[in-house]
Amino acid sequence: MFISDNSSTVHKKVLKKITEVNQGVAFPYGNDPYTKHATEMMQSLFNKDTDVYFTINGTSANVIGLSALMQSYESVICAESTHINTDECGALEKYIGAKISSVEHNHGKINVQSIEKFLLDKGNEHHNQPKIISISQCTEFGSVYTPEEIKEIADFTHRHDMYLHMDGARIANAAVSLGISFNEMIADTGVDLLSFGGTKNGMMMGEAIISFRPEVTSNPKFIRKQGMQLVSKMRYISAQFIAYLEDDLWRDNATQANSTAQYLAKRLTEIPEIEIKNAVNANMIFARFPQEIIDKTINKEYYYLMYPLENVVRMVTSYNSTKEDVDQFIDELQK
Amino acid sequence: MFISDNSSTVHKKVLKKITEVNQGVAFPYGNDPYTKHATEMMQSLFNKDTDVYFTINGTSANVIGLSALMQSYESVICAESTHINTDECGALEKYIGAKISSVEHNHGKINVQSIEKFLLDKGNEHHNQPKIISISQCTEFGSVYTPEEIKEIADFTHRHDMYLHMDGARIANAAVSLGISFNEMIADTGVDLLSFGGTKNGMMMGEAIISFRPEVTSNPKFIRKQGMQLVSKMRYISAQFIAYLEDDLWRDNATQANSTAQYLAKRLTEIPEIEIKNAVNANMIFARFPQEIIDKTINKEYYYLMYPLENVVRMVTSYNSTKEDVDQFIDELQK
Amino acid sequence: MFISDNSSTVHKKVLKKITEVNQGVAFPYGNDPYTKHATEMMQSLFNKDTDVYFTINGTSANVIGLSALMQSYESVICAESTHINTDECGALEKYIGAKISSVEHNHGKINVQSIEKFLLDKGNEHHNQPKIISISQCTEFGSVYTPEEIKEIADFTHRHDMYLHMDGARIANAAVSLGISFNEMIADTGVDLLSFGGTKNGMMMGEAIISFRPEVTSNPKFIRKQGMQLVSKMRYISAQFIAYLEDDLWRDNATQANSTAQYLAKRLTEIPEIEIKNAVNANMIFARFPQEIIDKTINKEYYYLMYPLENVVRMVTSYNSTKEDVDQFIDELQK
Amino acid sequence: MFISDNSSTVHKKVLKKITEVNQGVAFPYGNDPYTKHATEMMQSLFNKDTDVYFTINGTSANVIGLSALMQSYESVICAESTHINTDECGALEKYIGAKISSVEHNHGKINVQSIEKFLLDKGNEHHNQPKIISISQCTEFGSVYTPEEIKEIADFTHRHDMYLHMDGARIANAAVSLGISFNEMIADTGVDLLSFGGTKNGMMMGEAIISFRPEVTSNPKFIRKQGMQLVSKMRYISAQFIAYLEDDLWRDNATQANSTAQYLAKRLTEIPEIEIKNAVNANMIFARFPQEIIDKTINKEYYYLMYPLENVVRMVTSYNSTKEDVDQFIDELQK
């Protein structure tokens, strides 16, 4: 139920749009009017020139996008807990050939002090050259960077001839959590490259690579194709984005997920043996469960036992999570 | 209209199945019952042990699959015209790091005589070691290998410690053209690895990597993930395959495409200035058009001007092409 | 003077052997009698079947060797301080495409407890699969693993279907420090793959990849060639190894370096403001120097200022370092 | 004897210089005065700004150099017979990830007409983008491009936003054959990147990457290090180049090789059953030998049986080949 937002269905408006575009001939590989429209909708979210490329999943959005901004002898600096570092089976190392240098973090968030040591490597051919700082928004621990925090990292990044990448697999949940627009959170703070996620928030499959530095990104369209990520019947990806951006469906979905997470957090506090480990900013809750509860509920698909040695479980709410789901879950736990 | 089978819509049965699975929680990344069912349906097509992995597009099916069967210092031998050689922006060279050695072909088909010269490289560290022979069925020129031809290549391949890969982007059209089962065409002839295509024949997006040598393929699941090809909400791919294989929808679709191509070929012969360049075995027609006709119709999305210098156009029929489409096209040409 | 053992000359016996082989025609690319002889000399160091491949530098010995033992979706686990992790500009990530997972260490040495957490990743396609444990002998901090420590790591490695790699850039200094044979230190303890270094101990350029698992290493000769590491006039590498192994020149050289390091350590203790940071097991000393001394001597090429923020310098003695060199250096420091 | 110029010894002046630099401490990795001097000597050969990087062998000079000028989604166009295409075990495909597109040739030489077809791929993401034209001087068939021919290719290359690479493994033999300077042959004609070979003409091991476009080459020093090609005791490579360029040793050596080839060609014509297949421009001769002669001499290391099916052998003269060697060989053949 709260295993992952990946376990959810597709929002009915998204599926409806897919059905609507299912007529007539459309040029393949993105040369169709739906893709043009979805691209323009995406661009209109930001007051900046952007290049937008659709892809299928978060791993490819991260890797294909970064491939356009860096060389193999450079490095990506990120929190040890970042998805590109721990959950993509080394896709970045394989495809780009670069090193990921991880730093300590606070519930998934990093700061520029922890990065300064890498500046000593600049110009020294024995070390990968620091080029990208990558942050996740929301982080993998459910925390959310404030615009000020992002701007501080972006300024540091640019001061040292580097670029800032944001892995936005749950970008809508972050925007809703902060109560600000995508533009304020991303373009205004100085993010150079964004992986804009849709799949986890009610789409079927679809992420967007958005470059805020079209003048320096090196030909993402060739990289996407060579990277095996170009979809032929692209209209079915673009249709999802149209539905997702129309009438701010993304906001409604993320609001539902976030507020259900708040409700879930509140109700979990009713069980004294359970300790919530994070500030619940968005749609993820990490909590320490007693062994007895885990033994009885581990096979019921309610949550993911993330750190078995420490009895810490992860719960993720989704666009279609409801208070009733929470109540049912809490009832089960209280048994 | 006949630009490509990629320009077509999704068959309504496929879309219906997607809608049907859109309920409830499903474990992500293929750990759901729909994927299990689709995998078993695929396996039951063949009287052999197989490993089946779903992916998004033909390029990734080819590259991820081959990555499990070869090393970077080995080579793939194929027709100069093969999709992996000419139309995937070098995805194989990038991802596997191996060389593609192309040989001459006859309307897309190769024979073992043209390959023998590469055997001289065996054991010599200065040359990539020949390991894979890759054929397309149908070929990129619309021709179809007979089972006897496939078996001859497979036997040669195995005699020399190599593997046979088949790019089956239009595998259904080939099976219908030959009037035989997938099993007779593929497993019985000795194919080691198949890229089983669905997208061009009425699916939305979905291809399958099928290994007939599960004992030698090296962990495709890790390669697929590291290769950025693992979809989180996999049920929406698997559902398509279920619909595609149920009641032999693949056969109905390919039959419609192939028979419409026959009708189109027949009607094209009514225009004496047009010369058909290939035997129309499946759903592709190559023809030489007079310059005057090209000038008047090039912008009407009827066909793809493949070889501009020679006035040769490609027409591809699809699962939903009709005699009426053909008649309208011929009328237009005759004007 | 003590900047690095890389700064030293070539031992005169090595140069003499190069001169001796400089006559007549020799088949290129290692197909010459000198290479055959050097290979057999190397093999006779161990009571085990081995495959031996010469290469030019330590980075390539590490990367080409490991490339024969692992897949890109697997990982190398090593100390954070390991050369392959920090000083090879990401060569392993680029060439193999795999991830390096670093662990905490004690003066460069790791233990199996720190590795156990990676075993949880086994079988999970989202994470690189742990396959190699790599240790440096001597470590980059000048410490030396005992045979018992190596055996414990090797046993752990094999128990979990992994391989143990040893980066032996200073392998002779380690053997002399322990007072045991290469065989006892390496083959008997269970090392699977060794980068055997010669350059830092009096050779001009030359390292050897030694596989103790010839039955599983995947064709290093092709990997070496494709990896741009095959030298055409190989006899000039092989001659160096012949001189290096004849009459145990390697032992004499390492003994001189190690004993000079002991003398240097002893004399450094005469300067109370200087604090030696490591147990001096082999030919490397790390020490904290007062800022005043650093200011006056930093440009005299005596040492390498390794951690500027902490005033820690590294001194490395070489095969031709003498007590007189030490005395001169200490005099300078005492001024 | 004429198997390859790789089979020869090292010229005594080169060895003498190696011995001369074998004293004192020298900063490693090329930060030594010998490397500075050798680099300046190399640069003074050309009236242009150049970046110079030493490496060990021809394969790495080609691949590391090209890696600084192209992206993986681009392609190298060259003669089918080019070394990078046929004799480097796919090093370029592996390291750069790019495609090599080969064209027909005339005794190893290509012309721009054969390349024009690739221009149609420009901008189309389904095809590797043509970026590099690579020619070998001398070619692998012993022919030599005239400066006019090089200039024509260079002009074509630049007109279409591409770069011209020259594989100069036997560049000295070409310069001597044409009777012109390196500058006239390379810088003046518009070559962008040169692999300057020394090993085949009397050096021990050493090639130079020379970029004539330092403003566009992307950080070769990092690529060389990450590409496992940075030698620690660099002075021993640089010393070779100093000796090689001092007093034009390169010219003396190549003159001896070329003139001996002329003499060999002349004497071969005395044997009527032998047919010389190429114009002998430099130091390589290809000839058809009768089966009877091959049977009797194949094991005597005189030549390399290049095309066994056609009885064509390759003979390569070297810096130390003499008329006496030729006479002895011809005597043997005449027996």
Side-chain angles (χ1 to χ4, degrees), chain C residues 39-261:
Chain C
T39 301
E40 289 167 354
M41 289 180 80
M42 192 63 86
Q43 289 170 321
S44 72
L45 293 175
F46 305 100
N47 297 327
K48 258 196 183 175
D49 268 358
T50 58
D51 264 1
V52 174
Y53 295 89
F54 297 135
T55 180
I56 285 297
N57 56 31
T59 298
S60 64
N62 288 336
V63 174
I64 300 297
L66 285 170
S67 193
L69 266 185
M70 70 185 300
Q71 301 289 322
S72 65
Y73 54 78
E74 297 174 333
S75 67
V76 177
I77 300 169
C78 60
E80 194 283 333
S81 55
T82 312
H83 202 265
I84 52 167
N85 188 41
T86 61
D87 284 290
E88 303 187 352
C89 198
L92 189 142
E93 287 93 339
K94 167 69 180 173
Y95 198 75
I96 305 187
K99 180 180 278 294
I100 296 179
S101 296
S102 65
V103 296
E104 61 270 37
H105 60 89
N106 180 12
H107 287 283
K109 291 163 71 171
I110 60 173
N111 57 48
V112 298
Q113 286 72 44
S114 66
I115 297 168
E116 272 169 353
K117 64 183 172 189
F118 293 104
L119 299 177
L120 294 172
D121 294 340
K122 284 238 173 185
N124 183 332
E125 69 203 343
H126 297 271
H127 309 308
N128 286 75
Q129 298 298 292
K131 191 65 186 181
I132 305 285
I133 297 178
S134 178
I135 59 176
S136 297
Q137 176 82 319
C138 313
T139 73
E140 289 73 11
F141 286 99
S143 57
V144 177
Y145 287 94
T146 65
E148 293 71 28
E149 290 170 330
I150 299 170
K151 189 168 187 319
E152 188 188 0
I153 299 175
D155 288 349
F156 175 89
T157 305
H158 299 148
R159 208 153 56 232
H160 297 291
D161 190 25
M162 300 168 71
Y163 299 117
L164 178 59
H165 169 248
M166 179 178 280
D167 180 347
R170 293 185 178 95
I171 195 74
N173 302 93
V176 165
S177 171
L178 294 170
I180 61 175
S181 70
F182 288 130
N183 193 53
E184 291 166 303
M185 183 167 62
I186 299 159
D188 285 359
T189 55
V191 171
D192 298 297
L193 178 71
L194 171 69
S195 300
F196 181 102
T199 311
K200 289 178 194 289
N201 194 32
M203 281 176 53
M204 182 186 288
M205 59 190 75
E207 313 276 316
I209 300 166
I210 306 183
S211 166
F212 296 91
R213 303 289 296 265
E215 77 283 7
V216 294
T217 42
S218 160
N219 283 322
K221 78 170 184 173
F222 295 104
I223 300 175
R224 180 175 62 172
K225 174 64 190 178
Q226 191 180 36
M228 308 179 280
Q229 293 296 329
L230 182 59
V231 167
S232 60
K233 291 180 171 176
M234 186 71 90
R235 59 171 136 174
Y236 299 99
I237 303 295
S238 304
Q240 297 178 58
F241 275 109
I242 293 171
Y244 188 67
L245 296 177
E246 254 178 16
D247 306 328
D248 288 353
L249 175 62
W250 63 269
R251 191 195 311 268
D252 296 342
N253 284 358
T255 300
Q256 177 67 20
N258 286 11
S259 65
T260 306

Side-chain angles (χ1 to χ4, degrees), chain A residues 120-332:
Chain A
L120 295 171
D121 294 339
K122 284 235 174 187
N124 182 334
E125 68 202 344
H126 297 272
H127 309 308
N128 286 74
Q129 297 299 292
K131 192 66 188 180
I132 306 286
I133 297 177
S134 179
I135 59 177
S136 298
Q137 177 81 323
C138 315
T139 73
E140 289 74 9
F141 286 98
S143 57
V144 176
Y145 288 93
T146 66
E148 294 71 28
E149 289 171 329
I150 299 171
K151 189 169 186 316
E152 188 189 2
I153 299 176
D155 289 348
F156 174 89
T157 305
H158 300 146
R159 209 153 55 234
H160 298 293
D161 190 27
M162 300 166 70
Y163 299 116
L164 178 58
H165 169 248
M166 179 178 279
D167 179 347
R170 293 187 178 95
I171 195 74
N173 302 92
V176 164
S177 170
L178 294 169
I180 62 177
S181 71
F182 288 130
N183 192 52
E184 291 167 302
M185 181 167 63
I186 298 160
D188 285 358
T189 55
V191 171
D192 299 296
L193 179 71
L194 172 68
S195 301
F196 181 103
T199 311
K200 289 179 193 291
N201 193 32
M203 281 176 53
M204 182 188 290
M205 59 189 75
E207 313 276 315
I209 300 166
I210 305 182
S211 168
F212 296 91
R213 303 290 295 266
E215 76 283 8
V216 294
T217 41
S218 161
N219 284 321
K221 79 170 182 172
F222 294 105
I223 300 174
R224 180 176 61 172
K225 173 65 190 177
Q226 191 180 36
M228 308 178 280
Q229 292 296 329
L230 182 59
V231 166
S232 60
K233 291 181 170 175
M234 185 72 90
R235 59 171 136 172
Y236 298 99
I237 303 294
S238 305
Q240 296 178 57
F241 276 108
I242 293 171
Y244 188 67
L245 297 176
E246 255 178 15
D247 306 326
D248 289 352
L249 175 62
W250 63 268
R251 192 195 309 271
D252 297 343
N253 285 357
T255 301
Q256 177 67 20
N258 286 10
S259 64
T260 307
Q262 290 296 334
Y263 181 69
L264 172 55
K266 183 166 147 290
R267 293 233 45 202
L268 283 170
T269 59
E270 298 173 12
I271 306 176
E273 298 88 346
I274 287 180
E275 177 197 0
I276 294 181
K277 307 287 290 182
N278 66 323
V280 180
N281 294 131
N283 65 328
M284 297 169 86
I285 301 177
F286 291 80
R288 195 173 199 290
F289 275 25
Q291 186 63 42
E292 193 192 353
I293 289 188
I294 292 180
D295 287 344
K296 288 194 180 150
T297 56
I298 180 69
N299 290 319
K300 298 198 170 167
E301 308 186 4
Y302 282 123
Y303 52 79
Y304 175 55
L305 178 53
M306 194 122 184
Y307 301 106
L309 304 178
E310 303 159 39
N311 280 10
V312 170
V313 311
R314 189 191 73 174
M315 291 153 281
V316 190
T317 55
S318 179
Y319 83 93
N320 60 356
S321 299
T322 62
K323 286 196 176 185
E324 290 68 35
D325 295 336
V326 172
D327 291 339
Q328 180 194 335
F329 174 44
I330 297 294
D331 284 355
E332 184 85 20

